[in-house]
């Protein structure tokens, strides 16, 4: 009698689906690709690092792009000498922790040489940074400057390409920029010309804080709520300091504030806030309807110091 042989049914291979990429994963991947493109295509790039939150994010992205090797570019900061001391201390400590070269150039040198003329000692120096920035680019012959600007910050920055061309005078012409199709970038420049590169151009303020929370990045304490003496001037609060003193009729208030962006103490305003953690800042950011620079940078609110005008002259 023939017995039928029953073959066992082979077990189906178990398919484990990979977790879906989040929007932060996609933004991070794009930024790392841009950083590696700069390293591969540009002869002598540099990364602008001020100690602010956006440049802190850039440092983490550079770590993911190039570690365990050293960064293929130095860090550069154009110091107005009117920066918040807490941010400058953080800048120096973070560069030392990473073991990366930090190049600092000060506006004071150009002021002493008569190349920058201030109308008053307490005038905002932001508008004058282009002089020292272009001098630094010439001194080191940089052909690409990597920055943390984002399109959602301000309407002029929304016009920027990721690889933003600057002519031999360091100037920006928004009508003379190169097309960027399918993430293809053209970084080629003639001697004297250079590119400004913005790896987190497509990020928002919310994305930055969500990334800071996810990566557990340290940022200067002034980004979190703290009590500080301020005065109301125009549409914003100004922190009282050696550069900002109350005028007749102005009252000094001690309130809980935090900074959404950091820069020249004479024109950078905090906002009233009790947010003391990245998670609490994310909740505040979700409901705000004012851009961070629109709310906190007095120098962006005058036509003579508008962002677009400054960028055309060589600003970041």
């Amino acid at each position: 009698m023939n017995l039928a042989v029953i073959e066992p049914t082979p077990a189906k291979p178990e398919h484990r689906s990979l977790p879906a990429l989040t929007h932060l994963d996609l933004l991070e991947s794009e930024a790392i690709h841009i950083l590696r493109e700069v390293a591969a295509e540009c002869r002598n790039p540099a990364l602008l690092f001020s100690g602010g939150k956006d440049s802190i994010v850039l440092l983490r992205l550079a770590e993911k792009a190039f570690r365990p090797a050293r960064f293929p570019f130095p860090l550069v900061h154009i110091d107005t000498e009117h920066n918040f001391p807490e941010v400058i201390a953080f800048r120096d400590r973070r560069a030392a922790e990473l073991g990366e070269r930090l190049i600092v150039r000060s506006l004071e040198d150009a002021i002493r040489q008569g190349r920058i003329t201030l109308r008053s000692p307490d005038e905002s120096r932001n508008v004058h940074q282009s002089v020292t920035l272009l001098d630094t680019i010439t001194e080191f012959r940089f052909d690409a400057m990597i920055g943390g600007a984002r399109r959602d910050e301000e309407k002029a920055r929304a016009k920027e390409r990721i690889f933003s061309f600057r002519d031999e005078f360091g100037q920006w012409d928004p009508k003379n920029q190169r097309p960027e199709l399918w993430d293809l970038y053209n970084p080629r420049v003639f001697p004297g010309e250079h590119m400004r590169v913005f790896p987190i151009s497509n990020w928002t303020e919310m994305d930055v804080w969500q990334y800071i929370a996810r990566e557990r990045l340290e940022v200067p304490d002034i980004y979190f709520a703290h009590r500080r003496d301020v005065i109301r001037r125009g549409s914003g609060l100004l922190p009282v300091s050696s550069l900002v003193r109350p005028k007749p009729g102005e009252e000094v208030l001690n309130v809980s504030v935090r900074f959404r962006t950091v820069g020249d103490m004479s024109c950078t305003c905090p906002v009233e806030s009790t947010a003391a953690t990245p998670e609490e800042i994310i909740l505040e950011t979700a409901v705000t309807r004012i851009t961070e620079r629109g709310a906190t940078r007095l120098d962006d609110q005058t036509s003579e110091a508008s962002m677009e005008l400054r960028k055309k002259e060589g600003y970041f």
Side-chain angles (χ1 to χ4, degrees), residues 170-185:
Q171 296 181 334
W172 174 64
D173 180 0
K175 297 180 180 180
N176 184 28
Q177 295 296 308
R178 299 167 179 179
E180 291 180 346
L181 307 175
W182 304 291
D183 295 334
L184 299 176
Y185 307 111

Side-chain angles (χ1 to χ4, degrees), residues 76-84 88 91-92 103-109 125 129 132 316:
V76 172
H77 184 220
I78 305 304
D79 193 347
T80 65
E81 302 291 346
H82 283 180
N83 298 99
F84 290 93
I88 296 301
R91 175 203 71 186
D92 294 342
I103 298 170
V104 178
R105 290 294 180 268
S106 172
L107 268 66
E108 288 288 351
D109 295 331
R125 297 186 176 188
Q129 290 183 79
T132 303
F316 299 103

Side-chain angles (χ1 to χ4, degrees), residues 119 124 126-127 293 298-310:
R119 290 172 292 186
S124 170
N126 274 0
V127 69
R293 293 192 71 97
L298 295 182
D299 58 332
D300 286 346
Q301 300 172 15
T302 61
S303 59
E304 65 177 357
S306 71
M307 175 65 75
E308 183 153 345
L309 177 59
R310 282 182 286 163

Side-chain angles (χ1 to χ4, degrees), residues 268-286:
T268 302
C269 302
V271 295
E272 293 189 61
S273 173
T274 58
T277 66
E279 291 74 18
E280 290 175 353
I281 291 176
I282 289 169
L283 293 176
E284 279 193 357
T285 304

Side-chain angles (χ1 to χ4, degrees), residues 14-127:
E14 183 180 352
H15 293 285
R16 296 183 179 181
S17 58
L18 295 175
L21 294 176
T22 68
H23 79 287
L24 287 181
D25 294 327
L26 296 174
L27 289 172
E28 178 187 73
S29 177
E30 177 190 51
I32 289 173
H33 165 68
I34 293 166
L35 287 169
R36 289 173 175 168
E37 191 77 2
V38 173
E41 297 291 340
C42 298
R43 176 185 52 82
N44 188 25
L47 188 150
L48 294 164
F49 177 59
S50 65
K53 67 182 189 306
D54 300 307
S55 57
I56 291 170
V57 166
L58 280 183
L59 287 192
R60 172 51 58 91
L61 293 167
E63 287 185 272
K64 293 194 174 187
F66 304 113
R67 285 294 191 247
R70 301 267 318 258
F71 294 170
F73 37 67
L75 310 179
V76 172
H77 184 220
I78 305 304
D79 193 347
T80 65
E81 302 291 346
H82 283 180
N83 298 99
F84 290 93
E86 303 96 321
V87 179
I88 296 301
F90 180 92
R91 175 203 71 186
D92 294 342
R93 178 168 59 81
R94 191 71 187 105
E97 288 171 351
L98 290 170
E100 298 293 343
R101 180 187 180 196
L102 174 64
I103 298 170
V104 178
R105 290 294 180 268
S106 172
L107 268 66
E108 288 288 351
D109 295 331
I111 293 171
R112 284 193 295 268
Q113 295 166 6
R115 303 184 62 244
I116 293 177
T117 302
L118 301 177
R119 290 172 292 186
S120 63
D122 59 349
E123 177 189 354
S124 170
R125 297 186 176 188
N126 274 0
V127 69

Side-chain angles (χ1 to χ4, degrees), residues 165-203:
F165 173 73
R166 297 299 194 271
D167 64 20
E168 64 271 26
F169 301 105
Q171 296 181 334
W172 174 64
D173 180 0
K175 297 180 180 180
N176 184 28
Q177 295 296 308
R178 299 167 179 179
E180 291 180 346
L181 307 175
W182 304 291
D183 295 334
L184 299 176
Y185 307 111
N186 178 6
R188 297 178 183 176
V189 293
F190 290 111
E193 301 171 342
H194 69 278
M195 306 296 292
R196 305 284 173 86
V197 184
F198 305 110
I200 62 172
S201 185
N202 291 327
W203 297 42

Side-chain angles (χ1 to χ4, degrees), residues 152-296:
D152 78 318
E153 287 183 87
E154 203 274 341
K155 58 185 179 182
R157 284 186 165 162
K159 299 179 182 181
E160 288 274 22
R161 298 287 196 270
I162 290 177
F163 278 71
S164 186
F165 173 73
R166 297 299 194 271
D167 64 20
E168 64 271 26
F169 301 105
Q171 296 181 334
W172 174 64
D173 180 0
K175 297 180 180 180
N176 184 28
Q177 295 296 308
R178 299 167 179 179
E180 291 180 346
L181 307 175
W182 304 291
D183 295 334
L184 299 176
Y185 307 111
N186 178 6
R188 297 178 183 176
V189 293
F190 290 111
E193 301 171 342
H194 69 278
M195 306 296 292
R196 305 284 173 86
V197 184
F198 305 110
I200 62 172
S201 185
N202 291 327
W203 297 42
T204 65
E205 183 183 12
M206 174 71 84
D207 296 329
V208 168
W209 278 109
Q210 288 178 332
Y211 193 75
I212 288 170
R214 189 185 84 171
E215 299 292 311
R216 299 183 179 180
L217 300 180
E218 183 183 1
V219 298
D221 290 341
I222 65 174
Y223 277 113
F224 301 115
H226 59 285
R227 300 200 69 85
R228 183 180 289 257
D229 288 345
V230 298
I231 54 176
R232 295 194 182 275
R233 184 171 296 172
S235 60
L237 301 173
L238 273 177
V240 176
S241 68
S242 59
L243 300 174
V244 178
R245 296 295 185 185
K247 297 178 180 179
E250 291 181 332
E251 180 184 1
V252 176
L253 307 170
N254 186 267
V255 296
S256 177
V257 298
R258 68 176 178 89
F259 288 85
R260 292 174 67 186
T261 179
V262 295
D264 193 312
M265 288 190 294
S266 65
C267 64
T268 302
C269 302
V271 295
E272 293 189 61
S273 173
T274 58
T277 66
E279 291 74 18
E280 290 175 353
I281 291 176
I282 289 169
L283 293 176
E284 279 193 357
T285 304
V287 298
T288 187
R289 292 295 178 266
I290 303 176
T291 64
E292 62 194 273
R293 293 192 71 97
T296 63

